[in-house]
Amino acid sequence: MNDGLGNPKNTKSLLLAHKTPPSMGLGVRSDAEAAVRAGIRHIQFAVRPEADAVAIDEYLKSLKPIPSPRLVKGKLSRSANRGREVFESAGCASCHSGELYTDQKKHDLGIGKWLDEGKSYDTPTLIEVWRTAPYLYDGRAASIEDMLKKHNVDDKHGKTSNLTNKQIEDLAEFVLSL
Ligand code: HEC
């Protein structure tokens, strides 16, 4: 509803939210603490004691990533290892950088439709992306392959147009192993 009737959004995972400011798809809250308090006030229309917000923060901070079921004995599979190289060469790591795979900055990937045209989105962490399909702000991509093949306009979301199907598969395997 925040974004206008008929303009729904993909629910973001709250995992690592407190470690990857800013918050919200558009990065409109400076950090997760601000987002928790804004949610109580502007989504629930409630007035609650600060202790409740602190308790929610503590709960969210306690969430730990679950290792991907695609790992083989806790390590990247062969395909995922090849995919890691593609991740570097396709420029994914320029935005999905560091330990949590995010530069914590906003980018316009050229995929905004209707009211969202031209908007920049906060780079999400890729940790646990294996359990958070569908992808992109409005959930238009059912899979990583779908996202990279059908929804990457002018290679703005990494240089993928020159990749073979096999390379895309390996890249997806890597991302889904994080
Ligand atoms: C220019 C910066 C940038 C580059 C380069 C980039 N990404 Fe992203 N990525 C983003 C942003 C911003 C989003 C959020 C888009 C949205 O919500 O619509 C995103 C979203 C994603 C998502 C979806 C996460 C989710 O939870 O919905 C995945 C997966 C992903 N990127 C993987 C990749 C891969 C693989 C590459 C390399 C081919 C790549 N990205 C290159 C900025 C980038």
Side-chain angles (χ1 to χ4, degrees), residues 110-144:
I111 55 170
K113 287 187 192 159
W114 193 44
L115 297 172
D116 300 312
E117 211 179 319
K119 287 188 182 165
S120 293
Y121 284 83
D122 177 44
T123 307
T125 173
L126 297 181
I127 305 288
E128 263 199 19
V129 111
W130 58 273
R131 62 199 298 249
T132 60
Y135 304 111
L136 300 177
Y137 75 87
D138 57 356
R140 78 182 66 167
S143 64
I144 303 289

PDB file of all heavy atoms in Angstrom, residues 110-144:
ATOM      1  N   GLY A 110      17.477  -0.408 -14.377  1.00  0.00           N
ATOM      2  CA  GLY A 110      16.701  -0.201 -15.606  1.00  0.00           C
ATOM      3  C   GLY A 110      15.494  -1.115 -15.737  1.00  0.00           C
ATOM      4  O   GLY A 110      14.981  -1.297 -16.842  1.00  0.00           O
ATOM      5  N   ILE A 111      15.035  -1.693 -14.617  1.00  0.00           N
ATOM      6  CA  ILE A 111      13.918  -2.643 -14.687  1.00  0.00           C
ATOM      7  C   ILE A 111      12.636  -2.088 -14.071  1.00  0.00           C
ATOM      8  O   ILE A 111      11.619  -2.772 -14.037  1.00  0.00           O
ATOM      9  CB  ILE A 111      14.264  -3.980 -13.979  1.00  0.00           C
ATOM     10  CG1 ILE A 111      14.694  -3.707 -12.536  1.00  0.00           C
ATOM     11  CG2 ILE A 111      15.346  -4.726 -14.750  1.00  0.00           C
ATOM     12  CD1 ILE A 111      14.810  -4.971 -11.694  1.00  0.00           C
ATOM     13  N   GLY A 112      12.704  -0.840 -13.598  1.00  0.00           N
ATOM     14  CA  GLY A 112      11.528  -0.271 -12.934  1.00  0.00           C
ATOM     15  C   GLY A 112      10.360  -0.104 -13.893  1.00  0.00           C
ATOM     16  O   GLY A 112      10.524   0.409 -14.990  1.00  0.00           O
ATOM     17  N   LYS A 113       9.196  -0.587 -13.469  1.00  0.00           N
ATOM     18  CA  LYS A 113       8.002  -0.443 -14.302  1.00  0.00           C
ATOM     19  C   LYS A 113       7.048   0.554 -13.664  1.00  0.00           C
ATOM     20  O   LYS A 113       6.976   0.665 -12.444  1.00  0.00           O
ATOM     21  CB  LYS A 113       7.267  -1.796 -14.375  1.00  0.00           C
ATOM     22  CG  LYS A 113       7.954  -2.822 -15.237  1.00  0.00           C
ATOM     23  CD  LYS A 113       7.048  -4.040 -15.375  1.00  0.00           C
ATOM     24  CE  LYS A 113       7.800  -5.207 -15.967  1.00  0.00           C
ATOM     25  NZ  LYS A 113       7.168  -6.485 -15.679  1.00  0.00           N
ATOM     26  N   TRP A 114       6.279   1.228 -14.504  1.00  0.00           N
ATOM     27  CA  TRP A 114       5.173   2.077 -14.071  1.00  0.00           C
ATOM     28  C   TRP A 114       5.632   3.054 -12.987  1.00  0.00           C
ATOM     29  O   TRP A 114       6.553   3.816 -13.207  1.00  0.00           O
ATOM     30  CB  TRP A 114       4.013   1.158 -13.623  1.00  0.00           C
ATOM     31  CG  TRP A 114       2.703   1.852 -13.427  1.00  0.00           C
ATOM     32  CD1 TRP A 114       2.144   2.797 -14.254  1.00  0.00           C
ATOM     33  CD2 TRP A 114       1.785   1.670 -12.344  1.00  0.00           C
ATOM     34  NE1 TRP A 114       0.933   3.197 -13.739  1.00  0.00           N
ATOM     35  CE2 TRP A 114       0.674   2.529 -12.574  1.00  0.00           C
ATOM     36  CE3 TRP A 114       1.764   0.861 -11.205  1.00  0.00           C
ATOM     37  CZ2 TRP A 114      -0.403   2.605 -11.700  1.00  0.00           C
ATOM     38  CZ3 TRP A 114       0.680   0.936 -10.342  1.00  0.00           C
ATOM     39  CH2 TRP A 114      -0.386   1.797 -10.592  1.00  0.00           C
ATOM     40  N   LEU A 115       5.041   3.010 -11.789  1.00  0.00           N
ATOM     41  CA  LEU A 115       5.394   3.994 -10.748  1.00  0.00           C
ATOM     42  C   LEU A 115       6.844   3.847 -10.289  1.00  0.00           C
ATOM     43  O   LEU A 115       7.381   4.728  -9.612  1.00  0.00           O
ATOM     44  CB  LEU A 115       4.470   3.825  -9.530  1.00  0.00           C
ATOM     45  CG  LEU A 115       2.984   4.087  -9.761  1.00  0.00           C
ATOM     46  CD1 LEU A 115       2.153   3.701  -8.534  1.00  0.00           C
ATOM     47  CD2 LEU A 115       2.747   5.557 -10.105  1.00  0.00           C
ATOM     48  N   ASP A 116       7.451   2.717 -10.626  1.00  0.00           N
ATOM     49  CA  ASP A 116       8.814   2.455 -10.142  1.00  0.00           C
ATOM     50  C   ASP A 116       9.884   2.736 -11.192  1.00  0.00           C
ATOM     51  O   ASP A 116      11.063   2.465 -10.972  1.00  0.00           O
ATOM     52  CB  ASP A 116       8.920   0.999  -9.666  1.00  0.00           C
ATOM     53  CG  ASP A 116       7.948   0.733  -8.540  1.00  0.00           C
ATOM     54  OD1 ASP A 116       7.917   1.547  -7.595  1.00  0.00           O
ATOM     55  OD2 ASP A 116       7.200  -0.258  -8.610  1.00  0.00           O
ATOM     56  N   GLU A 117       9.486   3.277 -12.322  1.00  0.00           N
ATOM     57  CA  GLU A 117      10.442   3.560 -13.382  1.00  0.00           C
ATOM     58  C   GLU A 117      11.512   4.534 -12.895  1.00  0.00           C
ATOM     59  O   GLU A 117      11.201   5.541 -12.247  1.00  0.00           O
ATOM     60  CB  GLU A 117       9.700   4.167 -14.569  1.00  0.00           C
ATOM     61  CG  GLU A 117      10.356   3.799 -15.885  1.00  0.00           C
ATOM     62  CD  GLU A 117       9.599   4.389 -17.068  1.00  0.00           C
ATOM     63  OE1 GLU A 117       8.353   4.382 -17.059  1.00  0.00           O
ATOM     64  OE2 GLU A 117      10.284   4.870 -17.992  1.00  0.00           O
ATOM     65  N   GLY A 118      12.764   4.193 -13.184  1.00  0.00           N
ATOM     66  CA  GLY A 118      13.860   5.107 -12.873  1.00  0.00           C
ATOM     67  C   GLY A 118      14.284   5.127 -11.415  1.00  0.00           C
ATOM     68  O   GLY A 118      15.133   5.921 -11.033  1.00  0.00           O
ATOM     69  N   LYS A 119      13.690   4.243 -10.594  1.00  0.00           N
ATOM     70  CA  LYS A 119      14.070   4.248  -9.172  1.00  0.00           C
ATOM     71  C   LYS A 119      15.302   3.378  -8.934  1.00  0.00           C
ATOM     72  O   LYS A 119      15.510   2.373  -9.624  1.00  0.00           O
ATOM     73  CB  LYS A 119      12.915   3.727  -8.317  1.00  0.00           C
ATOM     74  CG  LYS A 119      11.783   4.733  -8.225  1.00  0.00           C
ATOM     75  CD  LYS A 119      10.744   4.291  -7.226  1.00  0.00           C
ATOM     76  CE  LYS A 119       9.588   5.285  -7.190  1.00  0.00           C
ATOM     77  NZ  LYS A 119       8.421   4.713  -6.503  1.00  0.00           N
ATOM     78  N   SER A 120      16.072   3.778  -7.932  1.00  0.00           N
ATOM     79  CA  SER A 120      17.254   2.993  -7.569  1.00  0.00           C
ATOM     80  C   SER A 120      16.954   2.136  -6.354  1.00  0.00           C
ATOM     81  O   SER A 120      16.347   2.617  -5.392  1.00  0.00           O
ATOM     82  CB  SER A 120      18.411   3.931  -7.237  1.00  0.00           C
ATOM     83  OG  SER A 120      18.814   4.602  -8.397  1.00  0.00           O
ATOM     84  N   TYR A 121      17.374   0.884  -6.410  1.00  0.00           N
ATOM     85  CA  TYR A 121      17.146  -0.057  -5.307  1.00  0.00           C
ATOM     86  C   TYR A 121      18.436  -0.368  -4.578  1.00  0.00           C
ATOM     87  O   TYR A 121      19.513  -0.387  -5.184  1.00  0.00           O
ATOM     88  CB  TYR A 121      16.496  -1.349  -5.843  1.00  0.00           C
ATOM     89  CG  TYR A 121      15.033  -1.126  -6.139  1.00  0.00           C
ATOM     90  CD1 TYR A 121      14.630  -0.565  -7.337  1.00  0.00           C
ATOM     91  CD2 TYR A 121      14.065  -1.414  -5.179  1.00  0.00           C
ATOM     92  CE1 TYR A 121      13.290  -0.305  -7.590  1.00  0.00           C
ATOM     93  CE2 TYR A 121      12.727  -1.147  -5.425  1.00  0.00           C
ATOM     94  CZ  TYR A 121      12.348  -0.599  -6.625  1.00  0.00           C
ATOM     95  OH  TYR A 121      11.024  -0.325  -6.866  1.00  0.00           O
ATOM     96  N   ASP A 122      18.269  -0.630  -3.303  1.00  0.00           N
ATOM     97  CA  ASP A 122      19.378  -0.987  -2.438  1.00  0.00           C
ATOM     98  C   ASP A 122      19.901  -2.378  -2.856  1.00  0.00           C
ATOM     99  O   ASP A 122      19.098  -3.286  -3.084  1.00  0.00           O
ATOM    100  CB  ASP A 122      18.848  -1.029  -1.000  1.00  0.00           C
ATOM    101  CG  ASP A 122      19.895  -1.460  -0.006  1.00  0.00           C
ATOM    102  OD1 ASP A 122      21.036  -0.975  -0.101  1.00  0.00           O
ATOM    103  OD2 ASP A 122      19.573  -2.282   0.868  1.00  0.00           O
ATOM    104  N   THR A 123      21.205  -2.531  -2.985  1.00  0.00           N
ATOM    105  CA  THR A 123      21.762  -3.845  -3.338  1.00  0.00           C
ATOM    106  C   THR A 123      21.529  -4.812  -2.181  1.00  0.00           C
ATOM    107  O   THR A 123      22.007  -4.567  -1.071  1.00  0.00           O
ATOM    108  CB  THR A 123      23.282  -3.758  -3.595  1.00  0.00           C
ATOM    109  OG1 THR A 123      23.543  -2.742  -4.561  1.00  0.00           O
ATOM    110  CG2 THR A 123      23.830  -5.095  -4.088  1.00  0.00           C
ATOM    111  N   PRO A 124      20.789  -5.904  -2.409  1.00  0.00           N
ATOM    112  CA  PRO A 124      20.542  -6.840  -1.311  1.00  0.00           C
ATOM    113  C   PRO A 124      21.740  -7.763  -1.073  1.00  0.00           C
ATOM    114  O   PRO A 124      22.530  -7.994  -1.985  1.00  0.00           O
ATOM    115  CB  PRO A 124      19.336  -7.650  -1.798  1.00  0.00           C
ATOM    116  CG  PRO A 124      19.403  -7.584  -3.290  1.00  0.00           C
ATOM    117  CD  PRO A 124      20.116  -6.313  -3.651  1.00  0.00           C
ATOM    118  N   THR A 125      21.845  -8.252   0.159  1.00  0.00           N
ATOM    119  CA  THR A 125      22.834  -9.306   0.414  1.00  0.00           C
ATOM    120  C   THR A 125      22.413 -10.531  -0.388  1.00  0.00           C
ATOM    121  O   THR A 125      21.224 -10.718  -0.669  1.00  0.00           O
ATOM    122  CB  THR A 125      22.888  -9.667   1.919  1.00  0.00           C
ATOM    123  OG1 THR A 125      23.749 -10.802   2.080  1.00  0.00           O
ATOM    124  CG2 THR A 125      21.529 -10.024   2.495  1.00  0.00           C
ATOM    125  N   LEU A 126      23.374 -11.377  -0.766  1.00  0.00           N
ATOM    126  CA  LEU A 126      23.002 -12.610  -1.488  1.00  0.00           C
ATOM    127  C   LEU A 126      23.023 -13.826  -0.557  1.00  0.00           C
ATOM    128  O   LEU A 126      22.778 -14.950  -0.993  1.00  0.00           O
ATOM    129  CB  LEU A 126      23.932 -12.825  -2.689  1.00  0.00           C
ATOM    130  CG  LEU A 126      23.850 -11.729  -3.763  1.00  0.00           C
ATOM    131  CD1 LEU A 126      24.793 -12.041  -4.918  1.00  0.00           C
ATOM    132  CD2 LEU A 126      22.422 -11.550  -4.277  1.00  0.00           C
ATOM    133  N   ILE A 127      23.317 -13.576   0.725  1.00  0.00           N
ATOM    134  CA  ILE A 127      23.321 -14.686   1.677  1.00  0.00           C
ATOM    135  C   ILE A 127      21.897 -15.234   1.824  1.00  0.00           C
ATOM    136  O   ILE A 127      20.961 -14.467   2.042  1.00  0.00           O
ATOM    137  CB  ILE A 127      23.835 -14.222   3.074  1.00  0.00           C
ATOM    138  CG1 ILE A 127      25.203 -13.577   2.982  1.00  0.00           C
ATOM    139  CG2 ILE A 127      23.790 -15.371   4.080  1.00  0.00           C
ATOM    140  CD1 ILE A 127      26.351 -14.507   2.715  1.00  0.00           C
ATOM    141  N   GLU A 128      21.748 -16.531   1.657  1.00  0.00           N
ATOM    142  CA  GLU A 128      20.452 -17.239   1.765  1.00  0.00           C
ATOM    143  C   GLU A 128      19.495 -16.946   0.618  1.00  0.00           C
ATOM    144  O   GLU A 128      18.288 -17.148   0.752  1.00  0.00           O
ATOM    145  CB  GLU A 128      19.753 -16.928   3.095  1.00  0.00           C
ATOM    146  CG  GLU A 128      19.981 -17.972   4.122  1.00  0.00           C
ATOM    147  CD  GLU A 128      18.951 -17.951   5.263  1.00  0.00           C
ATOM    148  OE1 GLU A 128      17.857 -17.380   5.142  1.00  0.00           O
ATOM    149  OE2 GLU A 128      19.280 -18.528   6.303  1.00  0.00           O
ATOM    150  N   VAL A 129      20.050 -16.492  -0.505  1.00  0.00           N
ATOM    151  CA  VAL A 129      19.184 -16.216  -1.647  1.00  0.00           C
ATOM    152  C   VAL A 129      18.554 -17.531  -2.176  1.00  0.00           C
ATOM    153  O   VAL A 129      17.512 -17.505  -2.837  1.00  0.00           O
ATOM    154  CB  VAL A 129      20.009 -15.421  -2.706  1.00  0.00           C
ATOM    155  CG1 VAL A 129      20.292 -16.190  -3.944  1.00  0.00           C
ATOM    156  CG2 VAL A 129      19.352 -14.095  -3.003  1.00  0.00           C
ATOM    157  N   TRP A 130      19.148 -18.660  -1.806  1.00  0.00           N
ATOM    158  CA  TRP A 130      18.605 -19.970  -2.211  1.00  0.00           C
ATOM    159  C   TRP A 130      17.200 -20.191  -1.638  1.00  0.00           C
ATOM    160  O   TRP A 130      16.433 -20.989  -2.168  1.00  0.00           O
ATOM    161  CB  TRP A 130      19.524 -21.117  -1.792  1.00  0.00           C
ATOM    162  CG  TRP A 130      19.815 -21.206  -0.317  1.00  0.00           C
ATOM    163  CD1 TRP A 130      20.808 -20.559   0.368  1.00  0.00           C
ATOM    164  CD2 TRP A 130      19.117 -21.983   0.661  1.00  0.00           C
ATOM    165  NE1 TRP A 130      20.765 -20.879   1.699  1.00  0.00           N
ATOM    166  CE2 TRP A 130      19.741 -21.761   1.915  1.00  0.00           C
ATOM    167  CE3 TRP A 130      18.028 -22.871   0.596  1.00  0.00           C
ATOM    168  CZ2 TRP A 130      19.306 -22.370   3.099  1.00  0.00           C
ATOM    169  CZ3 TRP A 130      17.605 -23.480   1.783  1.00  0.00           C
ATOM    170  CH2 TRP A 130      18.237 -23.229   3.003  1.00  0.00           C
ATOM    171  N   ARG A 131      16.846 -19.503  -0.565  1.00  0.00           N
ATOM    172  CA  ARG A 131      15.508 -19.747  -0.006  1.00  0.00           C
ATOM    173  C   ARG A 131      14.577 -18.547  -0.130  1.00  0.00           C
ATOM    174  O   ARG A 131      13.546 -18.488   0.540  1.00  0.00           O
ATOM    175  CB  ARG A 131      15.617 -20.239   1.439  1.00  0.00           C
ATOM    176  CG  ARG A 131      16.258 -19.277   2.402  1.00  0.00           C
ATOM    177  CD  ARG A 131      16.749 -19.990   3.666  1.00  0.00           C
ATOM    178  NE  ARG A 131      15.723 -20.628   4.436  1.00  0.00           N
ATOM    179  CZ  ARG A 131      15.311 -20.229   5.644  1.00  0.00           C
ATOM    180  NH1 ARG A 131      15.835 -19.183   6.212  1.00  0.00           N
ATOM    181  NH2 ARG A 131      14.374 -20.890   6.275  1.00  0.00           N
ATOM    182  N   THR A 132      14.920 -17.574  -1.012  1.00  0.00           N
ATOM    183  CA  THR A 132      14.080 -16.378  -1.065  1.00  0.00           C
ATOM    184  C   THR A 132      13.524 -16.045  -2.452  1.00  0.00           C
ATOM    185  O   THR A 132      13.216 -14.888  -2.719  1.00  0.00           O
ATOM    186  CB  THR A 132      14.834 -15.151  -0.516  1.00  0.00           C
ATOM    187  OG1 THR A 132      16.002 -14.938  -1.304  1.00  0.00           O
ATOM    188  CG2 THR A 132      15.222 -15.328   0.942  1.00  0.00           C
ATOM    189  N   ALA A 133      13.410 -17.058  -3.332  1.00  0.00           N
ATOM    190  CA  ALA A 133      12.760 -16.794  -4.627  1.00  0.00           C
ATOM    191  C   ALA A 133      11.309 -16.394  -4.347  1.00  0.00           C
ATOM    192  O   ALA A 133      10.755 -16.820  -3.335  1.00  0.00           O
ATOM    193  CB  ALA A 133      12.814 -18.047  -5.500  1.00  0.00           C
ATOM    194  N   PRO A 134      10.636 -15.636  -5.184  1.00  0.00           N
ATOM    195  CA  PRO A 134      11.138 -15.066  -6.434  1.00  0.00           C
ATOM    196  C   PRO A 134      12.039 -13.856  -6.186  1.00  0.00           C
ATOM    197  O   PRO A 134      12.142 -13.383  -5.059  1.00  0.00           O
ATOM    198  CB  PRO A 134       9.855 -14.653  -7.146  1.00  0.00           C
ATOM    199  CG  PRO A 134       8.917 -14.295  -6.033  1.00  0.00           C
ATOM    200  CD  PRO A 134       9.245 -15.248  -4.918  1.00  0.00           C
ATOM    201  N   TYR A 135      12.656 -13.369  -7.264  1.00  0.00           N
ATOM    202  CA  TYR A 135      13.667 -12.325  -7.149  1.00  0.00           C
ATOM    203  C   TYR A 135      13.256 -11.011  -7.810  1.00  0.00           C
ATOM    204  O   TYR A 135      12.350 -10.975  -8.627  1.00  0.00           O
ATOM    205  CB  TYR A 135      14.988 -12.831  -7.749  1.00  0.00           C
ATOM    206  CG  TYR A 135      15.426 -14.118  -7.102  1.00  0.00           C
ATOM    207  CD1 TYR A 135      15.412 -15.320  -7.794  1.00  0.00           C
ATOM    208  CD2 TYR A 135      15.786 -14.143  -5.755  1.00  0.00           C
ATOM    209  CE1 TYR A 135      15.784 -16.507  -7.174  1.00  0.00           C
ATOM    210  CE2 TYR A 135      16.155 -15.326  -5.131  1.00  0.00           C
ATOM    211  CZ  TYR A 135      16.150 -16.504  -5.847  1.00  0.00           C
ATOM    212  OH  TYR A 135      16.496 -17.673  -5.228  1.00  0.00           O
ATOM    213  N   LEU A 136      13.982  -9.983  -7.437  1.00  0.00           N
ATOM    214  CA  LEU A 136      13.819  -8.580  -7.860  1.00  0.00           C
ATOM    215  C   LEU A 136      12.678  -7.924  -7.069  1.00  0.00           C
ATOM    216  O   LEU A 136      11.907  -8.610  -6.411  1.00  0.00           O
ATOM    217  CB  LEU A 136      13.619  -8.446  -9.372  1.00  0.00           C
ATOM    218  CG  LEU A 136      14.821  -8.999 -10.191  1.00  0.00           C
ATOM    219  CD1 LEU A 136      14.552  -8.924 -11.679  1.00  0.00           C
ATOM    220  CD2 LEU A 136      16.120  -8.272  -9.835  1.00  0.00           C
ATOM    221  N   TYR A 137      12.654  -6.594  -7.116  1.00  0.00           N
ATOM    222  CA  TYR A 137      11.804  -5.837  -6.181  1.00  0.00           C
ATOM    223  C   TYR A 137      10.334  -6.225  -6.240  1.00  0.00           C
ATOM    224  O   TYR A 137       9.629  -6.162  -5.240  1.00  0.00           O
ATOM    225  CB  TYR A 137      11.989  -4.314  -6.368  1.00  0.00           C
ATOM    226  CG  TYR A 137      11.315  -3.758  -7.603  1.00  0.00           C
ATOM    227  CD1 TYR A 137       9.975  -3.364  -7.565  1.00  0.00           C
ATOM    228  CD2 TYR A 137      12.008  -3.639  -8.800  1.00  0.00           C
ATOM    229  CE1 TYR A 137       9.352  -2.869  -8.696  1.00  0.00           C
ATOM    230  CE2 TYR A 137      11.392  -3.145  -9.926  1.00  0.00           C
ATOM    231  CZ  TYR A 137      10.056  -2.767  -9.874  1.00  0.00           C
ATOM    232  OH  TYR A 137       9.432  -2.292 -10.999  1.00  0.00           O
ATOM    233  N   ASP A 138       9.887  -6.633  -7.436  1.00  0.00           N
ATOM    234  CA  ASP A 138       8.484  -7.024  -7.554  1.00  0.00           C
ATOM    235  C   ASP A 138       8.327  -8.531  -7.748  1.00  0.00           C
ATOM    236  O   ASP A 138       7.242  -9.015  -8.065  1.00  0.00           O
ATOM    237  CB  ASP A 138       7.816  -6.269  -8.707  1.00  0.00           C
ATOM    238  CG  ASP A 138       8.524  -6.487 -10.037  1.00  0.00           C
ATOM    239  OD1 ASP A 138       9.578  -7.173 -10.055  1.00  0.00           O
ATOM    240  OD2 ASP A 138       8.046  -5.976 -11.058  1.00  0.00           O
ATOM    241  N   GLY A 139       9.415  -9.255  -7.544  1.00  0.00           N
ATOM    242  CA  GLY A 139       9.354 -10.719  -7.625  1.00  0.00           C
ATOM    243  C   GLY A 139       9.069 -11.235  -9.020  1.00  0.00           C
ATOM    244  O   GLY A 139       8.546 -12.327  -9.194  1.00  0.00           O
ATOM    245  N   ARG A 140       9.458 -10.488 -10.038  1.00  0.00           N
ATOM    246  CA  ARG A 140       9.113 -10.906 -11.402  1.00  0.00           C
ATOM    247  C   ARG A 140       9.947 -12.081 -11.909  1.00  0.00           C
ATOM    248  O   ARG A 140       9.574 -12.729 -12.880  1.00  0.00           O
ATOM    249  CB  ARG A 140       9.238  -9.723 -12.363  1.00  0.00           C
ATOM    250  CG  ARG A 140      10.660  -9.394 -12.761  1.00  0.00           C
ATOM    251  CD  ARG A 140      10.730  -8.201 -13.652  1.00  0.00           C
ATOM    252  NE  ARG A 140      10.321  -6.979 -12.962  1.00  0.00           N
ATOM    253  CZ  ARG A 140      10.528  -5.748 -13.443  1.00  0.00           C
ATOM    254  NH1 ARG A 140      11.092  -5.591 -14.609  1.00  0.00           N
ATOM    255  NH2 ARG A 140      10.156  -4.694 -12.760  1.00  0.00           N
ATOM    256  N   ALA A 141      11.098 -12.330 -11.278  1.00  0.00           N
ATOM    257  CA  ALA A 141      11.958 -13.434 -11.727  1.00  0.00           C
ATOM    258  C   ALA A 141      11.765 -14.656 -10.827  1.00  0.00           C
ATOM    259  O   ALA A 141      12.012 -14.597  -9.629  1.00  0.00           O
ATOM    260  CB  ALA A 141      13.417 -12.990 -11.712  1.00  0.00           C
ATOM    261  N   ALA A 142      11.319 -15.759 -11.439  1.00  0.00           N
ATOM    262  CA  ALA A 142      11.041 -16.967 -10.664  1.00  0.00           C
ATOM    263  C   ALA A 142      12.325 -17.660 -10.220  1.00  0.00           C
ATOM    264  O   ALA A 142      12.347 -18.349  -9.208  1.00  0.00           O
ATOM    265  CB  ALA A 142      10.192 -17.921 -11.493  1.00  0.00           C
ATOM    266  N   SER A 143      13.394 -17.475 -10.984  1.00  0.00           N
ATOM    267  CA  SER A 143      14.657 -18.147 -10.664  1.00  0.00           C
ATOM    268  C   SER A 143      15.815 -17.209 -11.006  1.00  0.00           C
ATOM    269  O   SER A 143      15.617 -16.182 -11.666  1.00  0.00           O
ATOM    270  CB  SER A 143      14.794 -19.424 -11.504  1.00  0.00           C
ATOM    271  OG  SER A 143      14.877 -19.069 -12.883  1.00  0.00           O
ATOM    272  N   ILE A 144      17.021 -17.597 -10.584  1.00  0.00           N
ATOM    273  CA  ILE A 144      18.200 -16.786 -10.891  1.00  0.00           C
ATOM    274  C   ILE A 144      18.417 -16.762 -12.417  1.00  0.00           C
ATOM    275  O   ILE A 144      18.707 -15.718 -12.997  1.00  0.00           O
ATOM    276  CB  ILE A 144      19.464 -17.354 -10.193  1.00  0.00           C
ATOM    277  CG1 ILE A 144      19.245 -17.429  -8.675  1.00  0.00           C
ATOM    278  CG2 ILE A 144      20.705 -16.535 -10.542  1.00  0.00           C
ATOM    279  CD1 ILE A 144      19.214 -16.126  -7.946  1.00  0.00           C
TER     280      ILE A 144
END
